[in-house]
Amino acid sequence: VARREGGSRCILFTPAMQEAAERRLTVVRDLPHAIARQETAIYYQPIFNIADRRLLGFEALMRWRHPTLGFVSPGEFIAIAEEGRIILDLGAWALRVAAAQAAQWGAGTTRDLYVTVNLSGRQIAEADVPGMFKAVLDAEKLPAKALVAEVTETVALGPKAGEVVEAIRALGIRVALDDFGAGYSSLGVLGGLSVDTVKLDRALVMRVVTDTRERRLLTGLVSTIHALGLKVVAEGIETDGQLQVVRQAGCEAAQGYLLGRPLTAAAATALVTAEG
Ligand code: C2E
Ligand code: MG
Ligand code: MG
Ligand code: MG
């Protein structure tokens, strides 16, 4: 690809490309063993009610600590897991861990708290996702309101998605449309899919303080979503200014580094306990 100046020799890989390729090979080789080697964990990022700052619940986010690479971000390993069937194992594991944690917190019984779980397109297409949810509710004796399923727009547009989302909701489990506004098909997807909540992507919130047009766009979107009878969670809130804007726009709930980073189960438990 890169040709040395003045030379006839072609180098196919730059050192950076070489390194990226080796890293990828390591991930592909080791990811299938990550759960068994106890390298994976679920972190919990708090979601708050904006009006009274009450803790509503947590989003379950997967973490992988590789022995030599250190923390590998889900942005990197989930994409690779989705190329094969590993995502089915990882997804099933994440749901079981999150549900067990929700039960330990008394979610939906002694506390009105929920835990959201991210679903990948491949899980929807190839696994019995409603059956998995039913199984963890039974195993943990959890009420359905303790869990929320998060699906992205791209997932929501998949062939089986409508049917699977309906089956999840038939169990009483709420469904949130994740990363809304990050893709292209934003408004159309809301017409065809029945969800309970919309999570506004960080990209929609980022510039609302300084950019009037972005602020108006956000406000308009929130009222459109409300007109459909859905609740709105604003993601990626990093500043007080952003929180004020999303509150004024009418968002019910917020999630972001300003309010809380993804926490270990122990730290999240401390937060639950402190909230009473
Ligand atoms: P997501 O579902 O949209 O999750 C929110 C992401 O935004 C998380 O990244 C979270 O740490 C990050 N975030 C939260 N607040 C802020 C903020 O204020 N500023 C910024 N810059 N970022 C913020 P994370 O944990 O790296 O996860 C990335 C993505 O990986 C997730 O996006 C989700 O799509 C996927 N993912 C994570 N865990 C799972 C899982 O168990 N299953 C599946 N299928 N996907 C997962
Ligand atoms: Mg999510
Ligand atoms: Mg999101
Ligand atoms: Mg995202």
Side-chain angles (χ1 to χ4, degrees), residues 9-115:
R9 199 162 67 94
C10 279
I11 34 179
L12 287 175
F13 289 108
T14 65
M17 287 165 71
Q18 176 82 33
E19 204 174 295
E22 274 166 15
R23 184 182 169 92
R24 196 190 145 81
L25 281 176
T26 306
V27 169
V28 168
R29 184 195 61 201
D30 294 343
L31 189 55
H33 310 288
I35 295 174
R37 291 173 181 163
Q38 301 186 348
E39 295 164 358
T40 51
I42 299 294
Y43 275 43
Y44 299 88
Q45 186 176 30
I47 301 167
F48 293 95
N49 191 49
I50 295 178
D52 57 7
R53 298 241 176 180
R54 188 168 47 93
L55 177 68
L56 293 174
F58 294 93
E59 176 169 7
L61 294 163
M62 211 181 308
R63 295 291 177 262
W64 178 26
R65 185 180 224 150
H66 185 273
T68 59
L69 301 176
F71 274 107
V72 182
S73 79
E76 182 176 355
F77 75 79
I78 295 282
I80 291 174
E82 279 173 343
E83 291 170 13
R85 295 180 59 85
I86 308 166
I87 190 62
L88 303 183
D89 296 333
L90 287 174
W93 177 83
L95 176 60
R96 283 197 306 272
V97 173
Q101 186 59 69
Q104 205 174 307
W105 288 329
T109 55
T110 57
R111 283 189 184 88
D112 200 9
L113 204 71
Y114 60 75
V115 176

Side-chain angles (χ1 to χ4, degrees), residues 150 178-179 201 235:
E150 292 196 12
D178 197 9
D179 298 350
D201 193 74
E235 290 193 280

